[in-house]
């Protein structure tokens, strides 16, 4: 009879056991699947006499629930046993995670910013995709200046009828200075770090992108002596208290007079070595007094105000500090190279 079959299955289910997940799954298929024992009883249930259907139906439901509960219990017991067998010590410290370090260019940039911040300079920033107006025109570049040529500049879009509307990847962070001057009135004292782009072949000594830090100070009665003292203080903070500087005449469209600044070689102490090409001096930056035309183009009265500006390559300073002889190392993300700067963080 069907009731006898149910009682037999109830006894089997109450004694079910399994030692792994595969055996538990086999039990589930045997008793609870569409082709399992309990579903087969449902097929026989159609032939049960009407006066017994209620009793048989209740017992089948009890069997199904018991099988479901028993198999779930076996699964939970197995998971608990597996967790305990792993012998996990929850009080143990986590495995050490190797932390990254600051990039050498970031280390040097932050040091430069810190030095000038202590002199009263504040940070200023601007877009990397910039218009010709701020990169060249307001910086007193002539319309036919070679820097506007395709050989030097990456153009995003060009307007042959009006070069001031050209969109380019900025070739220097002087564009930030232009934006500051046209939106602020003196006194202005800013430091402008950022990435710049120039259409150059990539070699050990040159790259198509690099990083600059430029400074600008505009106020009444600013002199070249002020510029020299600021740069001397910077050089001694960055390269050591015995560092000497010299300024050589140069030319930049946006400054007049202009100069290149050298520092005494900190390797040989100025006596001459292979690093400084036996001159005793190493060039680090360009500087000068802001050209009155630049002030006027940016809306500042050049008869009332004067100022100085300077700019340096972060890669250049990093090369000097860490003696890196290949610029490409700074952008190739070779972890062997970057790990050398862990102590500098």
């Amino acid at each position: 009879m069907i009731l006898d079959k149910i009682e037999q299955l109830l006894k089997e289910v109450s004694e079910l056991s399994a030692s792994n997940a595969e055996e538990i799954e086999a039990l589930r298929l045997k008793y609870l699947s569409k082709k399992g024992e309990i579903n087969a009883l449902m097929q026989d249930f159609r032939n049960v006499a009407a006066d017994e259907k209620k009793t048989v139906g209740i017992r089948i439901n009890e069997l199904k629930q018991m099988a479901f509960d028993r198999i779930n219990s076996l699964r939970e017991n197995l998971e608990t046993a597996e967790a305990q067998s792993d012998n996990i010590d929850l009080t143990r410290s986590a495995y050490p995670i190797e932390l990254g370090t600051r990039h050498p260019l970031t280390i040097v940039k932050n040091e430069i910013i810190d030095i000038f911040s202590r002199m009263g300079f504040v940070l200023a920033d601007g877009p990397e995709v910039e218009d010709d107006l701020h990169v060249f025109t307001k910086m007193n570049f002539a319309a036919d200046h070679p820097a506007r040529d395709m050989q030097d500049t990456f153009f995003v879009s060009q307007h042959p009828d009006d070069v001031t509307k050209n969109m380019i990847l900025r070739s220097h962070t002087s564009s930030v200075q232009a934006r500051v001057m046209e939106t602020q009135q003196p006194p202005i004292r800013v430091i402008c770090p950022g990435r710049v782009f120039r259409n150059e072949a990539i070699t050990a000594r040159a790259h198509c992108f690099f990083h600059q830090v430029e400074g600008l100070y505009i106020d009444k009665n600013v002199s070249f002596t002020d510029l020299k003292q600021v740069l001397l203080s910077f050089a001694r903070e960055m390269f050591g208290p015995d560092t000497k500087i010299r300024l050589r005449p140069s030319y930049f469209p946006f400054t007049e007079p202009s100069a290149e600044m050298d520092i005494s070689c900190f390797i040989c102490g100025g006596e001459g070595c292979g690093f400084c090409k036996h001159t005793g001096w190493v060039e680090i930056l360009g500087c000068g007094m802001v050209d009155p035309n630049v002030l006027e183009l940016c809306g500042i009265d050049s008869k009332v105000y004067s100022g100085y500006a300077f700019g340096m390559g972060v890669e250049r300073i990093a090369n000097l500090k860490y003696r890196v002889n290949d610029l490409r190392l700074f952008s190739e993300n070779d972890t062997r190279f970057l790990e050398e700067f862990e102590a500098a963080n």
Side-chain angles (χ1 to χ4, degrees):
M1 292 179 59
I2 190 170
L3 285 174
D4 294 335
K5 180 63 174 177
I6 292 171
E7 294 302 325
Q8 180 184 346
L9 291 175
L10 283 169
K11 183 178 179 181
E12 288 181 14
V13 168
S14 66
E15 297 174 353
L16 291 179
S17 62
S19 58
N20 54 55
E22 289 77 12
E23 291 181 2
I24 293 174
E25 178 63 13
L27 292 175
R28 186 191 70 81
L29 293 174
K30 179 180 179 181
Y31 292 101
L32 295 174
S33 67
K34 290 183 177 181
K35 296 182 179 181
E37 299 278 2
I38 296 175
N39 199 53
L41 288 175
M42 298 301 295
Q43 301 297 324
D44 296 338
F45 181 72
R46 292 178 295 181
N47 301 321
V48 174
D51 58 342
E52 295 180 353
K53 280 187 178 294
K54 182 177 180 180
T55 301
V56 173
I58 292 173
R59 296 300 284 169
I60 290 176
N61 286 336
E62 290 175 353
L63 172 62
K64 185 175 183 179
Q65 187 62 46
M66 178 183 286
F68 183 81
D69 292 342
R70 181 59 183 169
I71 291 172
N72 276 348
S73 177
L74 291 173
R75 185 177 289 111
E76 291 173 1
N77 291 341
L78 179 63
E79 291 173 355
T80 301
E82 288 177 346
Q84 292 175 346
S85 66
D86 288 340
N87 295 320
I88 298 175
D89 182 2
L90 298 180
T91 64
R92 178 181 175 183
S93 299
Y95 289 106
I97 298 175
E98 186 174 352
L99 298 178
T101 62
R102 286 185 175 88
H103 193 279
L105 295 181
T106 302
I107 296 170
V108 172
K109 182 190 71 173
N110 289 345
E111 188 174 356
I112 295 171
I113 292 172
D114 178 66
I115 292 171
F116 283 108
S117 294
R118 285 187 270 117
M119 297 184 195
F121 288 81
V122 297
L123 282 174
D125 194 14
E128 292 183 352
V129 179
E130 185 57 281
D131 56 39
D132 181 290
L133 180 66
H134 292 92
V135 175
F136 294 129
T137 303
K138 291 202 172 187
M139 286 290 105
N140 202 36
F141 283 79
D144 58 351
H145 194 282
R148 297 178 186 265
D149 198 294
M150 283 287 289
Q151 294 179 352
D152 293 322
T153 303
F154 287 109
F155 284 83
V156 177
S157 63
Q158 288 187 278
H159 298 268
D161 298 332
D162 187 354
V163 295
T164 62
K165 295 180 181 180
N166 290 341
M167 295 301 296
I168 62 179
L169 298 181
R170 67 184 182 190
S171 55
H172 51 195
T173 52
S174 300
S175 58
V176 181
Q177 297 180 27
R179 288 187 175 275
V180 170
M181 285 188 284
E182 70 180 9
T183 56
Q184 298 180 28
Q185 283 299 305
I188 296 171
R189 195 193 299 256
V190 295
I191 194 83
C192 314
R195 181 169 56 178
V196 299
F197 308 84
R198 292 183 189 171
N199 192 1
E200 298 183 4
I202 299 175
T203 67
R205 299 177 62 85
H207 211 292
C208 62
F209 72 85
F210 53 98
H211 300 78
Q212 285 186 332
V213 176
E214 296 194 23
L216 173 70
Y217 177 47
I218 300 175
D219 204 347
K220 295 178 180 178
N221 303 316
V222 177
S223 69
F224 202 96
T225 302
D226 300 322
L227 169 62
K228 182 178 178 180
Q229 186 58 48
V230 164
L231 295 181
L232 176 62
S233 299
F234 163 73
R236 289 179 173 175
E237 286 279 344
M238 177 63 73
F239 299 105
D242 297 327
T243 303
K244 298 177 183 179
I245 68 170
R246 73 175 184 182
L247 298 170
R248 295 177 288 105
S250 186
Y251 167 76
F252 303 109
F254 36 85
T255 54
E256 180 58 38
S258 303
E260 299 277 2
M261 189 182 95
D262 303 330
I263 60 169
S264 55
C265 181
F266 50 87
I267 295 176
C268 64
E271 296 182 2
C273 65
F275 184 77
C276 62
K277 300 179 181 178
H278 302 284
T279 65
W281 298 93
V282 180
E283 178 188 330
I284 67 166
L285 59 82
C287 60
M289 301 299 294
V290 178
D291 192 297
N293 288 339
V294 173
L295 296 175
E296 295 292 341
L297 288 168
C298 294
I300 295 176
D301 190 345
S302 62
K303 294 182 176 60
V304 178
Y305 297 102
S306 58
Y308 61 71
F310 55 86
M312 68 194 78
V314 179
E315 283 84 349
R316 175 64 172 165
I317 304 299
N319 282 345
L320 296 177
K321 285 183 68 69
Y322 301 122
R323 306 183 199 179
V324 178
N325 58 9
D326 191 336
L327 277 176
R328 292 169 293 190
L329 290 171
F330 288 124
S331 57
E332 289 179 347
N333 290 327
D334 188 328
T335 56
R336 296 169 299 178
F337 170 71
L338 298 177
E339 286 170 355
E340 296 179 13
F341 298 89
E342 289 181 357
N345 283 271

